Amino acid sequence: MPPILYLIDGHALAYRTFFAISASTSERLQTHAGEPTAGIYGFASVLMRLLEVEKPEYLAVAFDSGHSFRDVVFPAYKATRAKMPDDLRSQVERIRQMVDAFHIPRLELENYEADDVLGSIARQAVAKGFGVKIITGDRDLLQLVDDRILVNLPGKSLSEARDYNAADVMAYLGVRPDQVVDYKALVGDKSDNIPGVMGIGEKTAQTLLATYSTLDEIYAHLEDLKKGERAKLEAGRDSAYLSQKLATILTDLQISLDLERAKVSLADVSEVESLFLDLEFRTLLLNLRKLSAKSIAQPPAPNEQLRLFGEPVTQIGEAPIAPVIPRYELTVHIVDTPAALQDLTRALADANVISFDTETTSTDRMRSQLVGISLAVREGEGYYIPVGHVTGEPQLPIVQVIAALRPAMTDPSKQKVGQNLKFDSMVLERYKLHVAPLTFDTMIAAWLINPASHSVGLKEMAGSYLNASMTHIEELIGRGKTQITMAEVPVAQAAPYAAADAEIALRLMPILQQEMDEKGALRIFHEVEMPLIDVLADMERNGITLNAQILHDMSQEAALRLAKMEDELYALVGYSFNLNSTQQLSKALFETLHLAPPDRRKKTASGHFSTSADVLDEMRGQHPAIDRILEYRELSKLKSTYLDSLPLEVNPDSGRIHTSFSQTGSVTGRLASSDPNLQNIPTRSEYGRLVRGGFTAAEGYQLISVDYSQVELRILAHISGDEAMLDAFRQGQDIHATTAAAIFGVPLASVSKDMRRKAKSINFGLVYGMSAFGLSRTTGLTLGESENFVKAYFKQFPRVKEYLDGMRRTAALQGYVETLLGRRRYFPNLSGQANVNMRNREEREAINAPIQGTAADIMKLAMIALEPALKAADCPARLLLQVHDELVLEAPDAKVKSAARLVQNVMEKAYTLSIPLETEARCGKTWGAMEVMKND
């Protein structure tokens, strides 16, 4: 087998990964300092995956150098392409720097595109006996494919990339690789603005090339063609040959590659480590170290030195050299004898701060078995107590260990710290050890410092704050089919890993404490987030009853309804097709039914118009099929996500569902629910209400739901100080009706339901920073009407406009905004050179963050105050769920009314605004069938 030279199309891969990652998240991927990193991270991930899986021996990367000769030949070349986003432009330079840091040759040639560079190097390498694999996102390169050259193209996602040989090209385009250029000469290429021949489509081009093989032969046989085809080809001859020239990748450029320098070596990755640290790529940093360690342990077999084509291409740019980060080391005490346990208890008794962590058989805090407990009370030293290893090694009985730990771990004068304390405290609670007080969670602290950060893991923070490299869990238990549990890991290997988790958290505490102090986050940390941990742990232990039979029956009904909807859709379209195929659905809507897409310029990678939810939502009313498809999708998703999946989530021991609440799952401060997510069940649709009907109270109990009434608008009124809005709330008016009366210029008594609906959209739309254009799309108003209504709104509530404008200025000036309790959200791009879309989005979020964040803070304060209030009143109600502005509890039948009144009182007094907070209580046997409770 010949040696393989891997060639990466730098710009194409950067574009592809940037847009793929940007589309997959609503948050901008960036560093603490605000540097955008989506494209760099994506490129680095693909490169790392290539190095890990395919282990290339030779590798080089080609980049465009700017304008090419094609721009001179045809000034409109690529003119239809959107301008490179500002966010990506700076990242391309960083990607170049990364390529240099890996010591991978970087190939560029003035006045030529990367395609030409790749084509020339590929042909030269083949001539010297090499095979070549080109990794790109540009299908133009398929013209280079032959028995020695493969081209790798991504699919719908980066993970679906595949190699194309000659047969694959034929199946994909309907022509041979050597015909790709002539194929483009005929059909053109909209992405590059290559004109082709007007009127010649893909099918015709494929037929012509199958018959005559080349463009020259087609034109040599014009007289043999049908009259219509001949006329189009005659009229488009110049365009065809121009397109052929534009589409042809040059393969004879005067460019060279020193193949010896293209040999991949990961023996010294210090420059890359420095760059990854700078870019805050913690996970990639760990993967890099693993790859480097394997490379050093297993060096490639020596090969004959090969040199291709003269002098190497000049490298551009230098990366700073940083020392390799030292492996993290500490003294570990394995506590597996009574004497060692006694030594540990003495150390705990003398400590003021105890950091702890648990090792378990799984990540399910309700069902996993305890394997070991780690503790640390001073830097550089840690303890590990094995209790559940199945390796036959000495271990102490768990009852003895818990008894020894209890005095210190329950001592109110000793601070308890750790990473993700809720999990560890819940595990130990199941073994009758209630750890208290929980005073410092490093994960929560890191999240408060930067709520948008994706680097709140302990190992990421160890690298970022302490310059320490920790062992990754997969190094102990493996991955995939061969993965084992922590219980199967020898104690000697588990101990250093586990002890480090406790010791690192201990060392991080003062650092994070200081940074929170600098960023004004200590109040929200100590008064809200830390006290909330015990509340959430109790809620998760309580769980909620699910009637699996109800959901099973609903699932069967849904299946019948879906089948009926499919038949209705087939009848509307005129034939059967796969509703779950986006391409077939696109063809049915836009080709068969001839419906108009919202934006004809936008197509998917497959060349079809998108059928995404937002596209179809804009098309409502065009045809009955649109509404039916949206309904079909909602029911189908509800069936798979809830009706079929929720019964599988029932804990066999408790018979209840125990969702997990995350404090760090959002940038707004709201809680996030997972495993399963009970916060995303639709509340307004019939189907969503039916799903909620499957959640029931235990025998002899009822469910109570208490939710805040228009809490965000009340907060807006308070923060803005708008007297008209405050007055409406003080008088107990319907704020949406009051708004409608103002913007429509009618008396309050004359406000219709439709007027109120539009006013409600404006009220909430403006809170979320929506523009007049956005309002027109959500209300059905024309743009002019929306603009007039917004003007009328601000005339009625002038201080609201002052608040909105002021918040934009504040966010841009100081780079962050705050809730009433001091929770910050950062917007570093508002003072930089971010693109317009990014800036507009951040302005909208900056307007809403203090309002939504304050609402989240108030809800958390209420949850913290509720438990002691229930105990003081000797009320046996228990808190089960928190969903947006709603709390769900369970109370004995005889205590429902008193419990509901108590909960309402606590929620309404959780925080004092200039207008009162109001709540509404409901009760019932199921979550979906509750009735409003009226105060007696």
Side-chain angles (χ1 to χ4, degrees):
M1 182 176 176
I4 306 298
L5 170 63
Y6 283 75
L7 296 173
I8 295 177
D9 185 346
H11 268 92
L13 188 58
Y15 258 93
R16 178 73 182 181
T17 57
F18 171 77
F19 286 107
I21 291 179
S22 298
S24 68
T25 176
S26 60
E27 295 300 324
R28 183 189 196 228
L29 209 61
Q30 61 185 26
T31 64
H32 279 69
E35 179 181 358
T37 57
I40 316 168
Y41 184 86
F43 191 101
S45 298
V46 172
L47 178 57
M48 293 283 289
R49 181 71 176 162
L50 177 70
L51 293 170
E52 178 183 7
V53 176
E54 303 205 25
K55 300 177 176 62
E57 187 179 355
Y58 299 91
L59 177 63
V61 182
F63 287 93
D64 294 332
S65 61
H67 291 290
S68 79
F69 73 93
R70 294 177 180 86
D71 299 305
V72 178
V73 173
F74 184 52
Y77 179 64
K78 292 189 177 182
T80 54
R81 282 198 179 182
K83 181 183 176 183
M84 180 186 288
D86 292 338
D87 261 12
L88 179 57
R89 190 178 305 280
S90 61
Q91 293 184 64
V92 171
E93 293 310 309
R94 275 291 212 177
I95 290 170
R96 284 186 166 100
Q97 183 184 356
M98 179 172 60
V99 170
D100 294 344
F102 269 105
H103 303 296
I104 297 170
R106 177 154 54 83
L107 308 170
E108 301 174 16
L109 192 61
E110 194 67 31
N111 294 324
Y112 294 97
E113 296 180 62
D115 290 3
D116 302 312
V117 174
L118 292 167
S120 298
I121 295 296
R123 292 288 187 229
Q124 294 169 19
V126 167
K128 293 293 184 179
F130 276 73
V132 176
K133 181 171 178 176
I134 302 173
I135 297 159
T136 181
D138 189 347
R139 69 178 191 174
D140 290 351
L141 287 153
L142 292 174
Q143 65 186 269
L144 299 176
V145 169
D146 60 21
D147 58 355
R148 283 285 182 130
I149 299 176
L150 289 177
V151 169
N152 180 275
L153 290 175
K156 292 181 180 178
S157 66
L158 294 174
S159 62
E160 296 177 4
R162 56 167 291 195
D163 295 339
Y164 284 78
N165 58 26
D168 297 320
V169 176
M170 186 71 189
Y172 181 39
L173 294 178
V175 296
R176 302 188 309 269
D178 62 288
Q179 294 176 312
V180 168
V181 172
D182 289 351
Y183 174 76
K184 285 180 173 287
L186 293 168
V187 301
D189 186 339
K190 291 182 180 178
S191 66
D192 288 341
N193 202 32
I194 295 175
V197 177
M198 185 175 294
I200 299 296
E202 295 176 358
K203 299 285 188 185
T204 301
Q206 290 163 358
T207 301
L208 289 170
L209 288 169
T211 305
Y212 301 108
S213 191
T214 68
L215 185 66
D216 288 341
E217 283 297 304
I218 292 171
Y219 274 103
H221 292 84
L222 282 183
E223 295 304 321
D224 299 336
L225 303 181
K226 296 176 184 177
K227 183 178 179 181
E229 289 179 353
R230 182 169 67 248
K232 292 173 184 175
L233 287 164
E234 286 177 336
R237 183 188 294 266
D238 291 343
S239 181
Y241 280 100
L242 170 64
S243 299
Q244 183 189 55
K245 185 172 185 178
L246 295 173
T248 300
I249 292 176
L250 302 182
T251 59
D252 58 354
L253 299 184
Q254 296 301 306
I255 186 168
S256 59
L257 170 66
D258 182 343
L259 195 63
E260 193 60 31
R261 295 188 66 175
K263 271 192 172 182
V264 176
S265 173
L266 295 173
D268 179 8
V269 292
S270 58
E271 294 179 47
V272 187
E273 284 190 331
S274 175
L275 185 63
F276 280 7
L277 273 174
D278 192 26
L279 295 168
E280 300 171 12
F281 293 167
R282 310 303 171 201
T283 302
L284 290 181
L285 186 60
L286 293 172
N287 293 341
L288 176 69
R289 287 171 181 154
K290 280 194 244 178
L291 279 174
S292 179
K294 289 179 182 178
S295 174
I296 295 170
Q298 298 177 336
N303 286 329
E304 179 184 357
Q305 291 190 358
L306 298 175
R307 196 170 188 80
L308 286 183
F309 328 126
E311 295 303 313
V313 174
T314 302
Q315 300 296 299
I316 304 171
E318 295 293 335
I321 297 176
V324 176
I325 295 177
R327 193 73 172 181
Y328 170 60
E329 296 180 359
L330 80 162
T331 301
V332 180
H333 304 283
I334 297 177
V335 182
D336 57 3
T337 66
L341 184 61
Q342 192 172 20
D343 289 342
L344 171 59
T345 55
R346 281 195 290 265
L348 296 177
D350 293 338
N352 294 319
V353 180
I354 301 172
S355 180
F356 72 101
D357 188 64
T358 62
E359 298 303 328
T360 58
T361 54
S362 77
T363 56
D364 186 338
R365 76 269 182 243
M366 295 297 297
R367 288 190 260 184
S368 62
Q369 298 301 306
L370 186 62
V371 175
I373 303 169
S374 55
L375 302 111
V377 295
R378 62 181 66 89
E379 290 187 12
E381 189 175 4
Y383 298 83
Y384 181 64
I385 315 172
V387 295
H389 287 264
V390 294
T391 52
E393 297 166 274
Q395 295 176 98
L396 294 170
I398 184 63
V399 175
Q400 181 182 354
V401 169
I402 294 298
L405 295 181
R406 182 171 284 111
M409 297 300 279
T410 58
D411 187 337
S413 68
K414 298 181 186 296
Q415 297 182 58
K416 315 304 184 307
V417 307
Q419 170 85 358
N420 192 13
L421 286 174
K422 176 160 66 70
F423 178 90
D424 299 305
S425 64
M426 288 184 69
V427 170
L428 292 175
E429 185 79 30
R430 289 174 40 228
Y431 289 84
K432 311 303 181 187
L433 177 57
H434 178 71
V435 181
L438 303 178
T439 54
F440 201 98
D441 191 315
T442 50
M443 181 175 70
I444 292 173
W447 169 68
L448 286 175
I449 290 167
N450 182 11
S453 173
H454 298 276
S455 300
V456 296
L458 191 66
K459 291 166 181 59
E460 288 88 350
M461 286 190 283
S464 175
Y465 287 104
L466 303 174
N467 202 33
S469 175
M470 300 176 68
T471 301
H472 196 277
I473 184 67
E474 290 180 346
E475 295 179 44
L476 297 180
I477 65 174
R479 64 171 70 186
K481 294 180 180 179
T482 61
Q483 189 176 81
I484 61 175
T485 70
M486 201 67 181
E488 299 168 85
V489 176
V491 171
Q493 294 179 28
Y497 170 85
D501 284 349
E503 196 270 349
I504 284 289
L506 186 71
R507 282 208 279 158
L508 283 170
M509 183 177 71
I511 299 171
L512 296 173
Q513 182 101 10
Q514 180 179 345
E515 193 163 351
M516 281 197 295
D517 188 22
E518 293 169 356
K519 295 198 171 185
L522 287 177
R523 179 190 177 192
I524 204 81
F525 179 79
H526 290 298
E527 295 182 14
V528 178
E529 298 299 346
M530 289 308 301
L532 190 65
I533 293 176
D534 281 328
V535 177
L536 295 178
D538 284 342
M539 290 170 61
E540 292 179 19
R541 275 189 290 267
N542 291 336
I544 187 169
T545 303
L546 182 80
N547 189 323
Q549 186 59 50
I550 289 178
L551 264 66
H552 174 72
D553 294 344
M554 288 171 58
S555 179
Q556 290 188 318
E557 291 176 16
L560 294 174
R561 178 65 182 136
L562 287 168
K564 184 179 178 182
M565 292 167 90
E566 285 183 14
D567 291 338
E568 291 171 351
L569 276 163
Y570 298 153
L572 288 168
V573 173
Y575 61 88
S576 299
F577 61 97
N578 183 358
L579 271 170
N580 296 314
S581 166
T582 55
Q583 292 187 20
Q584 291 185 38
L585 179 58
S586 180
K587 181 180 178 182
L589 296 179
F590 303 114
E591 296 181 26
T592 303
L593 296 179
H594 303 292
L595 302 183
D599 188 346
R600 289 191 171 276
R601 296 170 299 176
K602 291 186 178 179
K603 288 188 176 183
T604 64
S606 64
H608 293 78
F609 289 118
S610 172
T611 59
S612 63
D614 57 337
V615 168
L616 296 187
D617 200 51
E618 283 192 60
M619 294 174 64
R620 284 185 187 273
Q622 272 200 44
H623 193 278
I626 298 296
D627 291 336
R628 184 65 74 239
I629 291 166
L630 289 169
E631 186 181 1
Y632 176 90
R633 283 181 173 178
E634 180 191 1
L635 182 57
S636 179
K637 182 178 180 181
L638 209 66
K639 182 179 183 298
S640 61
T641 306
Y642 299 111
L643 302 182
D644 296 338
S645 300
L646 283 176
L648 304 177
E649 300 283 351
V650 175
N651 186 308
D653 297 326
S654 67
R656 293 164 78 94
I657 279 184
H658 302 270
T659 186
S660 177
F661 289 101
S662 170
Q663 291 165 262
T664 62
S666 74
V667 294
T668 62
R670 285 186 179 273
L671 295 173
S673 165
S674 63
D675 304 318
N677 183 349
L678 300 184
Q679 294 182 327
N680 282 357
I681 301 174
T683 56
R684 294 189 178 91
S685 72
E686 174 193 354
Y687 300 130
R689 287 191 292 272
L690 289 173
V691 172
R692 284 192 169 203
F695 293 89
T696 66
E699 189 67 30
Y701 284 73
Q702 288 190 49
L703 296 179
I704 301 170
S705 168
V706 183
D707 73 301
Y708 281 112
S709 173
Q710 300 171 343
V711 62
E712 291 189 3
L713 290 177
R714 292 174 187 272
I715 293 168
L716 173 62
H718 172 87
I719 292 178
S720 67
D722 189 276
E723 281 303 322
M725 188 174 283
L726 289 168
D727 232 27
F729 279 119
R730 290 189 186 113
Q731 294 176 31
Q733 294 178 359
D734 179 337
I735 189 65
H736 301 313
T738 301
T739 301
I743 63 178
F744 284 98
V746 299
L748 191 60
S750 301
V751 172
S752 67
K753 288 184 178 180
D754 185 59
M755 290 177 180
R756 186 184 182 279
R757 179 185 63 80
K758 291 174 179 174
K760 183 177 180 179
S761 294
I762 293 174
N763 270 327
F764 286 115
L766 292 175
V767 169
Y768 283 85
M770 193 180 290
S771 65
F773 175 73
L775 289 170
S776 70
R777 294 177 61 180
T778 59
T779 59
L781 298 168
T782 66
L783 180 57
E785 288 173 330
S786 293
E787 290 174 342
N788 289 334
F789 285 163
V790 170
K791 288 178 183 177
Y793 182 94
F794 287 142
K795 184 177 180 181
Q796 174 69 12
F797 304 122
R799 294 289 297 277
V800 171
K801 185 174 190 328
E802 289 178 20
Y803 162 77
L804 299 177
D805 293 341
M807 197 51 60
R808 289 188 185 93
R809 290 192 298 270
T810 298
L813 183 65
Q814 63 186 23
Y816 65 87
V817 295
E818 289 183 316
T819 67
L820 292 177
L821 275 79
R823 180 188 303 278
R824 290 185 186 179
R825 184 170 174 190
Y826 293 89
F827 299 96
N829 305 304
L830 291 180
S831 59
Q833 299 298 317
N835 64 50
V836 173
N837 290 336
M838 180 68 69
R839 176 178 292 276
N840 289 342
R841 190 186 80 183
E842 290 211 350
E843 281 191 350
R844 290 193 298 270
E845 291 171 350
I847 288 168
N848 177 248
I851 299 168
Q852 191 178 91
T854 296
D857 292 343
I858 291 173
M859 175 59 82
K860 289 178 176 179
L861 289 174
M863 294 168 69
I864 293 166
L866 186 55
E867 187 64 25
L870 290 170
K871 286 183 179 177
D874 196 25
C875 180
R878 53 193 177 190
L879 185 57
L880 309 183
L881 300 175
Q882 189 276 317
V883 181
H884 306 309
D885 299 326
E886 171 189 16
L887 291 181
V888 179
L889 298 92
E890 191 174 47
D893 291 332
K895 297 287 186 178
V896 170
K897 287 188 177 180
S898 59
R901 282 196 295 268
L902 186 151
V903 175
Q904 284 188 276
N905 185 57
V906 168
M907 290 176 67
E908 290 171 2
K909 292 183 178 179
Y911 191 84
T912 303
L913 299 176
S914 50
I915 48 175
L917 291 167
E918 291 187 3
T919 59
E920 181 178 76
R922 298 171 180 266
C923 69
K925 290 297 293 182
T926 75
W927 192 15
M930 289 185 162
E931 295 183 357
V932 175
M933 300 178 67
K934 296 182 180 179
N935 294 324
D936 297 334

